[in-house]
Amino acid sequence: MTDWGGSTSPGASGGGRRRLAATRGQSRAARQPLERPAPLRQAVYDVIAEMIINRELQPGEHLVENELAAQLGVSRQPVREALQRLQSEGWVDLRPALGAFVHVPTEEEADQLLATRTLLETESARLAAKHVTDQHVERLHELQAAGEKALSDNDQAGLVAANAALHAYVVSMSGNKVLAELIAMVDRRVRWYYAPIAQSRGREAWDEHAALIEVIAGRNSRRAAELMRKHTERTRESYHQRRKEAAEREALA
């Protein structure tokens, strides 16, 4: 017997259960086959993106598929797919009949992103000071030490990485997942803009970090927000100053 809910009673025959299961299976909509992951394509994308962020590939540089494929030890296909994805995300410009070029950020693009970063990270510092623990402070000092070492070693890539790590940790301390997601969206762009000024900001930036850590450790949320705002604004000003100086040198050349 079958009840009104469509289930079969314990006494239903095996054949009846099989017919019912088959009918249910036929009524389901067909699904698209699951796509298999493509780790090589993702790996090529990640490597090229990092080469752009670290300025190994300079803004405006022509990206030749054959050369990148040979450098990375892969075929042209994953390189082509990576460049198309990078183009859709604004890292690369694809020009008809000319090929792919690293995107050259405009003054307005940089200013808008760095201004947004200031707003987000100011709030993250305020919240971090409210939620700080002894373990947080210990980790902040470790990250500060890594930055100090990169500075003394004159290691630009290390400075960029250490700066990003320290700021990301402050964000994680905030406990605000939405804020963390928003900051993560701009993190790679910030590292891209920060790379050219990492060494010129140098000692000043890491002194500002040290002061920020002490204020966060003291649970002074208002002061932490103020210091983070000033810190990120100085980075923004330094970026624009460097661009201005570069434009002046180019005009004189």
Side-chain angles (χ1 to χ4, degrees), residues 84-133:
Q84 290 170 348
R85 180 177 168 187
L86 289 162
Q87 187 270 337
S88 70
E89 296 176 0
W91 294 100
V92 167
D93 297 326
L94 298 179
R95 303 174 189 170
L98 294 175
F101 296 81
V102 178
H103 178 67
V104 179
T106 66
E107 194 83 10
E108 184 178 11
E109 287 173 2
D111 191 67
Q112 288 179 358
L113 185 129
L114 293 174
T116 300
R117 179 215 185 193
T118 292
L119 293 173
L120 295 174
E121 297 217 20
T122 295
E123 178 64 5
S124 76
R126 185 185 73 81
L127 293 173
K130 285 191 170 186
H131 300 147
V132 67
T133 66

Side-chain angles (χ1 to χ4, degrees), residues 118-163:
T118 292
L119 293 173
L120 295 174
E121 297 217 20
T122 295
E123 178 64 5
S124 76
R126 185 185 73 81
L127 293 173
K130 285 191 170 186
H131 300 147
V132 67
T133 66
D134 290 343
Q135 289 76 19
H136 288 146
V137 175
E138 182 179 354
R139 180 57 181 155
L140 285 171
H141 283 302
E142 290 173 356
L143 294 169
Q144 174 74 8
E148 296 271 2
K149 184 178 186 307
L151 183 63
S152 65
D153 292 345
N154 201 28
D155 177 5
Q156 177 174 311
L159 278 171
V160 174
N163 182 75

Side-chain angles (χ1 to χ4, degrees), residues 2-251:
T2 304
D3 62 21
W4 291 110
S7 63
T8 57
S9 67
S13 68
R17 286 194 295 271
R18 285 192 294 272
R19 285 193 297 275
L20 181 58
T23 301
R24 285 177 175 167
Q26 290 169 0
S27 67
R28 294 194 184 102
R31 290 180 175 272
Q32 292 291 331
L34 292 175
E35 293 185 4
R36 293 189 299 171
L40 179 60
R41 182 165 60 234
Q42 180 66 40
V44 171
Y45 163 84
D46 288 337
V47 169
I48 297 177
E50 284 301 314
M51 291 169 72
I52 292 173
I53 291 165
N54 292 328
R55 305 283 173 142
E56 184 177 342
L57 296 172
Q58 291 289 322
E61 184 173 340
H62 188 200
L63 302 174
V64 181
E65 286 182 12
N66 284 340
E67 294 177 1
L68 285 171
Q71 185 177 357
L72 301 179
V74 298
S75 68
R76 290 178 59 184
Q77 184 61 28
V79 171
R80 183 178 299 116
E81 292 171 350
L83 292 178
Q84 290 170 348
R85 180 177 168 187
L86 289 162
Q87 187 270 337
S88 70
E89 296 176 0
W91 294 100
V92 167
D93 297 326
L94 298 179
R95 303 174 189 170
L98 294 175
F101 296 81
V102 178
H103 178 67
V104 179
T106 66
E107 194 83 10
E108 184 178 11
E109 287 173 2
D111 191 67
Q112 288 179 358
L113 185 129
L114 293 174
T116 300
R117 179 215 185 193
T118 292
L119 293 173
L120 295 174
E121 297 217 20
T122 295
E123 178 64 5
S124 76
R126 185 185 73 81
L127 293 173
K130 285 191 170 186
H131 300 147
V132 67
T133 66
D134 290 343
Q135 289 76 19
H136 288 146
V137 175
E138 182 179 354
R139 180 57 181 155
L140 285 171
H141 283 302
E142 290 173 356
L143 294 169
Q144 174 74 8
E148 296 271 2
K149 184 178 186 307
L151 183 63
S152 65
D153 292 345
N154 201 28
D155 177 5
Q156 177 174 311
L159 278 171
V160 174
N163 182 75
L166 191 148
H167 280 264
Y169 192 70
V170 172
V171 173
S172 72
M173 289 170 59
S174 75
N176 187 317
K177 292 182 179 179
V178 175
L179 184 63
E181 289 173 0
L182 291 172
I183 292 177
M185 290 172 63
V186 302
D187 174 65
R188 275 186 158 180
R189 291 274 175 179
V190 170
R191 286 197 289 131
W192 190 31
Y193 298 146
Y194 187 72
I197 62 171
Q199 289 174 307
S200 60
R201 277 282 277 146
R203 181 73 268 159
E204 180 184 61
W206 289 93
D207 285 346
E208 291 165 11
H209 286 154
L212 177 64
I213 290 169
E214 292 308 308
V215 170
I216 289 176
R219 296 181 174 273
N220 188 333
S221 58
R222 182 192 61 79
R223 181 63 175 155
E226 181 183 352
L227 287 185
M228 181 64 89
R229 182 187 61 78
K230 289 181 178 179
H231 172 67
T232 53
E233 278 297 296
R234 287 192 185 107
T235 297
R236 181 183 176 192
E237 292 164 4
S238 295
Y239 178 83
H240 289 308
Q241 181 62 33
R242 185 184 183 280
R243 285 192 61 133
K244 179 181 177 182
E245 292 170 356
E248 290 173 350
R249 286 196 300 270
E250 186 175 333

